[in-house]
C-alpha cells in the first residue's frame, strides 16, 4: 500500500529540502488545504484537484491578502503534474520498484507530498518532494538562504514558497546522479521571484551523455532567452563549488535564482519547460548505462564522489540551510542525501586515469555544447 493525498495542499509555506533560495520581499498569505493520507494505490488514483478548486481553498485562508495568488495556484498545479509524470517515467525505467508516497503537514503552515523510491534495480534511492508552505522565517534563515544574504532587520519575515525538488542516486557508477529544483517564492512587501535548475553529478565522464544533458537544457533555455544558457550554466558551476575542496559537486547544468526581471508568466513558462524536460535530458543516459558492468574499484570511486555530494549539501546548500533554520521537515530536507558514501584520508586518483579526468572537470568547468 502507498499513501496518497486526498486533498490538495494549497498555498501555504516554508519550503523544505529544496535548493538555492534568494532575496527578501513580498506580501503573502496562503492556504493550508487539509491533507489526508490514505492507503491507496497511486497508480489507480491520482490527486484530482482543479485549479478552480485550489483557488477556492486558497482564498478561504484568513489573512490572505496581497501576493500573486493566481501564480501560487498555477505553480503548485504545474509542479504537482511534473511530480506525477517524472516519478511515473523513472519507475518505468527502473522496472523493479515504485515510489512510496508520504503526504505530510507542516505544523506552522502548509505541507507537501514526498515520493521516495528505494531499493530499485537502477536507483538505490530517488526522491521527488513537493512543498507548498507559508509562515514566517527568522532573519538568520533569510540571510542564509538568499543569494545576496539580505537582512531586513530584527523581525521575522512572512513568506510563501512552493517548490519541487528531486535527487536520484543510481546503483551503477557509470550512471550519474541527477538533481533538479524549481520553485516560486514570495515575502512580505510585494517581492516575488523564481529559482531552480537541473544538474548532473557523474562519477565518470561520457562525452555523449554530457552533450545530451547540457544540449537539452541549452535548447530549453534558447526557446525563452538566448542569454539564459551561458548565464545559468556558469551560475551552476559557481553555485555547486565545494569551497573547502576547490572542486564542484558534479558537472553542472543550469542554475538560477532571484529571477523576476520580466513578466512572471514568462518565467513560469520557462520553469515549466525545464521541469518537463528532466526525463528527456536524464532518461537516455540511464537507459544507456544502467546495465554496464563495473568493478569494485569503480564502485569505491562512486562512493567517494558521493561523500563530496554530502559535504556540499550539508555545508553549502542554501535550501538545506533554509529548511533546517525554519524548522522544516527533516526527512524531506535530507531526502537528497545518498544512502551510502565514503571518505578516505588524503585520497587522490591516479594521474591519467578516468577518475583523474573527472576530477579535472570538477575543478575546471568545461563547455559541453
Amino acid at each position: 500500500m502507498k499513501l496518497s493525498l486526498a486533498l490538495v495542499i494549497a498555498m501555504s509555506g516554508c519550503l523544505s529540502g529544496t535548493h538555492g533560495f534568494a532575496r527578501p520581499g513580498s506580501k503573502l498569505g496562503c492556504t493550508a488545504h487539509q491533507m489526508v493520507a490514505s492507503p491507496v494505490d497511486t497508480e489507480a488514483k491520482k490527486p484530482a484537484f482543479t485549479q478552480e478548486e485550489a483557488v477556492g481553498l486558497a482564498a478561504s485562508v484568513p489573512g490572505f491578502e496581497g501576493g500573486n495568488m493566481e501564480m501560487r495556484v498555477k505553480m503548485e498545479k504545474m509542479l504537482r503534474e511534473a511530480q506525477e509524470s517524472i516519478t511515473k517515467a523513472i519507475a518505468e525505467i527502473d522496472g523493479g520498484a515504485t515510489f512510496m508516497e508520504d503526504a505530510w503537514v507542516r505544523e506552522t503552515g502548509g505541507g507537501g507530498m514526498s515520493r521516495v523510491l528505494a531499493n530499485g534495480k537502477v536507483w538505490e534511492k530517488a526522491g521527488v518532494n513537493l512543498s507548498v508552505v507559508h509562515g514566517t522565517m527568522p532573519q538568520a534563515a533569510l540571510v542564509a538562504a538568499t543569494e545576496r544574504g539580505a537582512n531586513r532587520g530584527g523581525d521575522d519575515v512572512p513568506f510563501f514558497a512552493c517548490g519541487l525538488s528531486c535527487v536520484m542516486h543510481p546503483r551503477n557508477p557509470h550512471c550519474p546522479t541527477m538533481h533538479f529544483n524549481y520553485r516560486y517564492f514570495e515575502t512580505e512587501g510585494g517581492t516575488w521571484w523564481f529559482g531552480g535548475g537541473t544538474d548532473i553529478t557523474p562519477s565518470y565522464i561520457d562525452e555523449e551523455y554530457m552533450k545530451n544533458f547540457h544540449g537539452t537544457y541549452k535548447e530549453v533555455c534558447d526557446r525563452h532567452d538566448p542569454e539564459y544558457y551561458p548565464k545559468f550554466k556558469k551560475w551552476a558551476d559557481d553555485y555547486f563549488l565545494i569551497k573547502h575542496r576547490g572542486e564542484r559537486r558534479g558537472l553542472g547544468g543550469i542554475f538560477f535564482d532571484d529571477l523576476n526581471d520580466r513578466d512572471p508568466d514568462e518565467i513560469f513558462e520557462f520553469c515549466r519547460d525545464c521541469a518537463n524536460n528532466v526525463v528527456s535530458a536524464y532518461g537516455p543516459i540511464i537507459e544507456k548505462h544502467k546495465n554496464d558492468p563495473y568493478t569494485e574499484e569503480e564502485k569505491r570511486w562512486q562512493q567517494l564522489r558521493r561523500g563530496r555530494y554530502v559535504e556540499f549539501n550539508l555545508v553549502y546548500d542554501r535550501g538545506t540551510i533554509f529548511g533546517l533554520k525554519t524548522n522544516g521537515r527533516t526527512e524531506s530536507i535530507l531526502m537528497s542525501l545518498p544512502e551510502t558514501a565514503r571518505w578516505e584520508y588524503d585520497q587522490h586518483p591516479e594521474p591519467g586515469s578516468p577518475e583523474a579526468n573527472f576530477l579535472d572537470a570538477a575543478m575546471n568547468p568545461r563547455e559541453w555544447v
Side-chain angles (χ1 to χ4, degrees), residues 144-156:
T146 179
E147 174 71 13
R148 300 186 179 99
N151 192 318
R152 298 179 66 243
D155 298 334
D156 285 352

Side-chain angles (χ1 to χ4, degrees), residues 187-337:
T187 62
E188 186 179 48
T191 300
W192 58 269
W193 67 94
F194 293 82
T198 305
D199 62 280
I200 193 168
T201 304
S203 299
Y204 292 93
I205 295 176
D206 177 326
E207 296 278 347
E208 181 184 342
Y209 78 51
M210 290 303 298
K211 288 178 180 177
N212 177 75
F213 182 83
H214 279 267
T216 297
Y217 276 98
K218 183 179 186 302
E219 289 176 4
V220 171
C221 288
D222 288 350
R223 284 196 287 270
H224 299 268
D225 189 329
E227 295 183 3
Y228 273 176
Y229 178 75
K231 179 181 178 181
F232 296 162
K233 193 267 186 190
K234 183 180 185 305
W235 205 338
D237 290 337
D238 292 343
Y239 177 74
F240 292 108
L241 175 66
I242 306 170
K243 298 179 181 67
H244 61 273
R245 297 283 189 183
E247 61 192 63
R248 276 84 191 157
R249 184 177 77 177
L251 299 185
I254 62 168
F255 177 86
F256 60 93
D257 218 342
D258 289 308
L259 202 57
N260 65 356
D261 62 346
R262 59 199 72 195
D263 187 278
D265 287 320
E266 289 184 37
I267 306 174
F268 168 82
E269 291 300 335
F270 172 60
C271 290
R272 175 157 62 181
D273 204 0
C274 287
N276 287 344
N277 277 277
V278 166
V279 175
S280 61
Y282 183 55
I285 300 170
I286 301 301
E287 294 281 21
K288 178 182 178 181
H289 289 286
K290 67 182 181 181
N291 296 317
D292 285 3
Y294 57 87
T295 67
E296 187 177 330
E297 188 61 24
E298 288 171 332
K299 187 66 178 177
R300 172 179 159 270
W301 174 249
Q302 180 197 51
Q303 296 296 297
L304 288 167
R305 293 313 307 174
R306 285 186 175 175
R308 299 295 198 264
Y309 203 96
V310 171
E311 288 178 30
F312 176 84
N313 280 30
L314 293 184
V315 177
Y316 299 109
D317 183 71
R318 290 201 301 270
T320 301
I321 295 168
F322 174 84
L324 294 174
K325 285 183 179 292
T326 53
N327 297 316
R329 185 171 185 266
T330 304
E331 289 301 316
S332 299
I333 296 166
L334 300 182
M335 181 186 70
S336 64
L337 300 181

Side-chain angles (χ1 to χ4, degrees), residues 21-42:
F21 287 91
R23 159 173 164 158
S26 143
K27 190 123 184 182
L28 80 6
C30 328
T31 101
H33 293 194
Q34 181 184 3
M35 293 188 301
V36 180
S38 57
V40 301
D41 187 333
T42 59

